[in-house]
Each structure stands twice: as C-alpha cells, then as structure tokens.
Amino acid sequence: MLVRIALILLVLGCSRILHAQELTVLQVTPGPSMLQVSPYENIRIRFDRPVDTSSVSNVTIRVYSRSGGNVHGRMDFVDGGREVVLVPDRPLASGEPVQITLASSIRGTDGTMIRPEGYSWRFWVRTKQAEMQLKQTQVLSTNFKGGESTIPYGGVATDLDGDGWIDLSLTNEGTDDVRVFMNSSDGHVLPMSPFSFAVGSIPSPVESADFDNDGHPDLCTANIGDGTISILLGNGDGTYGTQQSIEVGNGPRGIAVLDVDGDADMDIINPNSSSSNLSLVTNDGNGQFSQPQFLMGGVPTEWSVEAVDMNSDGITDLVVGGEDRISVLIGNGNGTFGSPITRNSAGILWQVRCGDLDGDGDEDVTSCNSTTGAGAVFFNNGAGQLSPPIYYSGNQFPIATDLGDFDGDGDLDWILSGYGGSWRIYANNGDGQFSLMQILDAPDSASCSLPTDLDNDGDLDLALIDENDDLLIIMKNMAEHVSGDFNDDGLVNGVDLAILLAAWKSQDPMKDLNGDGSINGIDLAILLANWTP
C-alpha cells in the first residue's frame, strides 16, 4: 500500500512539474464561437504567466477574416505581460468568421513554451439589424467572349487588394480557371478582369487563406477532373501567381484550411470521393506544400469537409460528409486525428458548414443532402457528438449550404442552394430552429452563394452563382443605415464619436460621411445631427 501511495504521489508531482513547464492559454476574448463581436473589437489572449514579448508577433499570432483577409495590428502587453492585446489596424469585416491561430513557438519569460499543438479559435463579427430586403442590383457574365461556357461553381469573397472593399474570385469548371471580379470601392462589382488564373481540371470547392503570411489573401481549389489541388498565392492587387499543383486522390470534392501541427501556418485537407479518403498537405510557412498524407474520414465516399473546433479545446477538428453519413474527427494537434464519431444522414452530403446555431457556445453543423432534396441541421453536444439530423426542404438537388446573420438579430441564418432552381433563406429563431423566410429563383441553376458585405454598410449581401447560365448575381440587403453609426448597433452615440475622432484628418472612406476625402468638421456635424437621444 505504501508503495502504491508513493507511486501516486510521484505521478502527481511529475504532472505538476510538466504543467509548470507549459505556457497555458487561460482565456481568449472574443470567446470561441461568439456571434456578435464588434468590428472594432480588440483580441485578447490571457496566459497563466508573463510572455516573452519577443516571441509574440503577427507571425506567431495570426488573425484571418474570411472576407477582410489578414488582420495585423499593434500588440500591447498588460498585467505584467500575462495578457496580449492585439489592436487591429482596420475594422473587421461585418458578418464574417474570424480565425485566430497561436503558434507553439510563443514562450513565457521563464522559458516555458505554449503546448506543441498551438491554440486556435474563431468568432463571428456582428451585422446590423436588417429586414432581409434583398434586391438584385447587378447581373454579370463569367464569360470573356460569346459562346464560352465557364460553368462557375464555387468562389470566395475576400478583399484582394487591401482597399477595405470585398472582391470576388470564382472557380470555373468549364474553363479550369479562377476569374476575379473587383469591387469598385463603392459596393459596385466591376465586370471581371481580363485575366484568368489556371488551376486543375474541373475546379469546384475553393477556400481562402494567407498561406505565405505576406498579408495578401491566397486561395486553394480542389480539382475534380485530375485529382489535384491547386494553390494560388495572391499578389495583393487582385491577381494571383502561377498555381502550385499537388496530386491528392480521385475525385476531390471539398477543401478546408487549418493549422494541423501548431506552427500557425495554414495547411490544407480535402476529401477524395472516388478514393474514399482524405488528403492532408502541410505548409512550410512560405506557401509551399508537402506531398499528401492520407487518412480515413469515417464515412463512405468522403465528399465534403469543414475545419472547426468541435470540442472547444483550442485544436481544430474535422467535420466530414459522405454518402448517408457524417463524421467528426477530433484533432490531436500533431497532424493526426482521433477515431471518427459518426452519425447517419440520408443522401450525399455535398457540402457542410458549421457555426453556433443554438447559442450554446459550440459549433453545430449544416449540410446539403443533394440526392434527397433536403438540407440537414446537426446539434453538437460540446464534445463533437452530433444529434440526429433535422431536415429542411432544399428544393431539387441542394449542393451548397452557407451561414450568416442576414437580419442582424445575433444568430446565424441559413441559405441552401438548389441546383434545381432556387436559393432558400431560412431564418434562425435563436435556438437553431429555422423558418423559410425567402425563396430566390435562379435563371437556371442555384449553384452556390457567397454571403458578404459588399457595400460596407454593416449587413450581409449575397453574391449568387448560376453555373448553367454562367452568371454572377449581386443581391444587396437594402436595410436603411443611419449615417454616423460606425459600430452598427443602431445608435449614434459616444462610441461612434470616439471612432470618428480617432480617424480625424485621415482619409478613411468608412468614416468620411460626406465623401470629400477627409475626416473633418463636416463629418462631425453629420454625426451630431443623427445623434440618438
């Protein structure tokens, strides 16, 4: 008995020593999966001991907004260095998820290191209240010339040139390329540039990231026809460089970016539907990628994937959709994943999208189940175990699912794209129950949607893609905006006044209320005229 007690005490002692040798993240603000974060919010990371300031930079703490792109800023250290505060150098993009990734190379002043797995989480930037009065404002062709069939399917909405306005990059299955539509800095989308950027055969799914950490958004595509993925590094001016092509498997149908190994560089994972596996390629930090490692997704015919933290441990996990089944793979933070946690679901899960649907602080899942004409909602119990699916009509052959707070009420609404002919917008009642709010008919095929704030007015607009008619359709959310309400809380008050004064004499177009090129007394007068009593 004495020997057993001695061994227990020894183990406990060793555990305390090991814990003492690890710099630990105690709290992050905004918290994981938060939905109503101000565009002007500072990002705070609380550690259990002072950090070595020389180990903290925009390389070891990386912030990426899906629409706004890279977020840099000033690093402040408070409470003796126990808390790091990133003060962003620009507002965050309204309505978009923001991913923060901490590298394992961050260390304390005592020489201890953060865990080898690093730390990662995401939150969503709030949108202002809106009536979801979506109005078609533009219809643009994806063709360079008459008779060309581009078949656009997939795209990303990201600020490519750093001017604060969101641009669009579309993948085209018919011409095997990516084509760019720039924002004219007033919310008007320009006809596409006369350039195309070659990728593999039949590109479809696409994701954005900053793979080489140069501050410019890059993207990656999964190419169904030749079993490759393509990585295009952005030049920061609306153009991309020559593709890096990597053979991954047969029939890649989805793609996701995540840090799998704790170095804060974005790696890539994709499902291969015909090989029935997943491919993982790791980033060397300069946007150059390894040859693939293969793992099983736990479903037949792996078709779709999303990378999010499903158990709130600060390590990114995978949600994989296949034929009649969905699975969650808990990440180990070293490039490996645990055994699949599976749940049955009818049809082929063509795409999956995650977010906190019921306001309980963890990531839930939506899917579009193409062959059943439905979309499905799965609730997460906080440990990555999913509830049975709840089905909603998705018209004929739904092939895309997207989330965003379209009405600005603080929860995530849902849009299903149905190849059979319409986009269906479902409003969330706050606890993950959805009601059909609006049906948008497509000229031919409702292939996918990009929810994003194109006109910088604080609410979500829609870029819709019709692949059969080679069209990009812009729908603006026409909610009224009060001039001077910079933080989009429905009020013009002291918070907005402080934001205006901080931009005084600058040329920030977001604060220039009369558009004369300078922040001055005229803008102050406009703000005061709209002051909320």
Side-chain angles (χ1 to χ4, degrees), residues 160-403:
L160 296 178
D161 55 1
D163 66 351
W165 297 84
I166 295 166
D167 311 301
L168 305 173
S169 302
L170 305 188
T171 54
N172 298 283
E173 295 183 346
T175 48
D176 299 337
D177 61 11
V178 171
R179 299 186 179 185
V180 172
F181 295 76
M182 299 298 290
N183 194 321
S184 62
S185 299
D186 62 2
H188 184 81
V189 178
L190 296 172
M192 65 184 167
S193 67
F195 305 105
S196 65
F197 307 97
V199 291
S201 174
I202 314 181
S204 188
V206 58
E207 276 293 340
S208 69
D210 184 3
F211 293 120
D212 54 0
N213 203 40
D214 65 352
H216 307 317
D218 312 312
L219 58 77
C220 55
T221 68
N223 310 311
I224 303 166
D226 59 8
T228 65
I229 62 171
S230 297
I231 297 98
L232 298 177
L233 300 182
N235 296 317
D237 59 0
T239 67
Y240 296 99
T242 303
Q243 68 165 319
Q244 178 186 172
S245 178
I246 301 173
E247 293 184 7
V248 290
N250 297 326
R253 289 279 182 172
I255 200 159
V257 297
L258 71 162
D259 176 23
V260 299
D261 48 13
D263 60 3
D265 301 325
M266 290 295 103
D267 309 303
I268 300 172
I269 196 159
N270 74 276
N272 302 300
S273 59
S274 299
S275 303
S276 200
N277 60 10
L278 303 173
S279 305
L280 168 65
V281 297
T282 56
N283 186 353
D284 70 354
N286 297 308
Q288 299 299 308
F289 289 83
S290 68
Q291 290 302 300
Q293 308 168 46
F294 296 97
L295 58 151
M296 305 307 294
V299 298
T301 316
E302 283 87 344
W303 202 275
S304 54
V305 66
E306 176 91 313
V308 292
D309 184 2
M310 294 293 288
N311 63 347
S312 301
D313 64 352
I315 300 172
T316 304
D317 312 308
L318 301 177
V319 179
V320 182
E323 187 170 357
D324 298 323
R325 200 175 304 168
I326 189 170
S327 71
V328 175
L329 281 67
I330 300 299
N332 296 319
N334 60 0
T336 67
F337 296 84
S339 298
I341 307 169
T342 62
R343 169 69 68 182
N344 290 337
S345 182
I348 297 176
L349 279 66
W350 201 279
Q351 190 181 62
V352 290
R353 279 284 183 262
C354 302
D356 182 7
L357 303 178
D358 53 5
D360 64 355
D362 54 47
E363 300 272 354
D364 306 303
V365 183
T366 66
S367 67
C368 49
N369 300 24
S370 58
T371 52
T372 64
V377 171
F378 306 82
F379 295 106
N380 181 4
N381 71 350
Q385 296 177 334
L386 300 180
S387 69
I390 301 171
Y391 295 106
Y392 293 83
S393 174
N395 201 354
Q396 299 178 33
F397 211 84
I399 56 176
T401 171
D402 292 285
L403 295 169

Side-chain angles (χ1 to χ4, degrees), residues 62-66 69-71 97-100 158 208-210 217-218:
R62 301 194 185 185
V63 182
Y64 191 81
S65 162
R66 181 176 288 172
N70 252 38
V71 180
V98 177
Q99 187 77 37
I100 302 94
T158 308
S208 69
D210 184 3
D218 312 312

Side-chain angles (χ1 to χ4, degrees), residues 75-130:
M75 298 286 185
D76 292 338
F77 301 90
V78 300
D79 192 17
R82 290 177 175 82
E83 187 168 301
V84 179
V85 182
L86 170 62
V87 182
D89 56 8
R90 63 167 178 82
L92 302 173
S94 296
E96 291 302 313
V98 177
Q99 187 77 37
I100 302 94
T101 309
L102 311 184
S104 59
S105 55
I106 298 173
R107 62 182 176 271
T109 55
D110 59 359
T112 56
M113 307 294 291
I114 199 173
R115 66 186 183 185
E117 299 84 1
Y119 195 93
S120 184
W121 83 100
R122 74 171 184 169
F123 59 80
W124 295 69
V125 182
R126 73 182 177 210
T127 59
K128 73 175 186 182
Q129 292 187 355

Side-chain angles (χ1 to χ4, degrees), residues 2 19 65 250 377 429 469:
L2 290 175
H19 177 72
S65 162
N250 297 326
V377 171
N429 70 357
D469 277 4

